[in-house]
Amino acid sequence: MSQVLPLELIDKCIGSRIHVVMKSDKELVGWLKGFDEFVNMVLTDVTEFENGPEGIVTSKRKEILLSGTHIAMLVPGGEGPVATEEA
């Protein structure tokens, strides 16, 4: 069995959709355009999900730069929290 390093897995996700869970109450789904060794990421066509008192609030962003220090989890091909709740 071959070993896959974390940065190799993220590299394979460039050009595809990715679900990013932040350390805060935010989650993002978008197309991964690039990243660096600190897992700072550039996403395009982004949907942002934020947990609020009234439930999940969504907003759209054309492009966003994420700081790797604020990322908790990455889900390649993930669709975000709304798709998970409907299942």
Side-chain angles (χ1 to χ4, degrees), residues 16-17 26 40 58 61-62 70 73-74:
S16 62
R17 288 183 63 78
K26 291 186 181 182
N40 298 315
T58 63
R61 308 267 184 250
K62 183 175 179 174
H70 298 286
M73 182 172 62
L74 301 171

Side-chain angles (χ1 to χ4, degrees), residues 28-62:
L28 301 107
V29 175
W31 294 89
L32 179 61
K33 298 308 272 185
F35 71 99
D36 65 11
E37 67 272 13
F38 303 107
V39 194
N40 298 315
M41 304 180 125
V42 176
L43 301 178
T44 59
D45 190 25
V46 180
T47 303
E48 182 178 348
F49 304 90
E50 186 169 10
N51 289 321
E54 299 85 30
I56 297 174
V57 178
T58 63
S59 58
K60 297 281 190 175
R61 308 267 184 250
K62 183 175 179 174

Side-chain angles (χ1 to χ4, degrees), residues 2-14 16 18 32 35-37 39 74 76:
S2 65
Q3 182 180 20
V4 177
L5 298 173
L7 292 179
E8 289 179 70
L9 180 61
I10 299 169
D11 190 52
K12 291 180 181 181
C13 295
I14 291 178
S16 62
I18 192 164
L32 179 61
F35 71 99
D36 65 11
E37 67 272 13
V39 194
L74 301 171

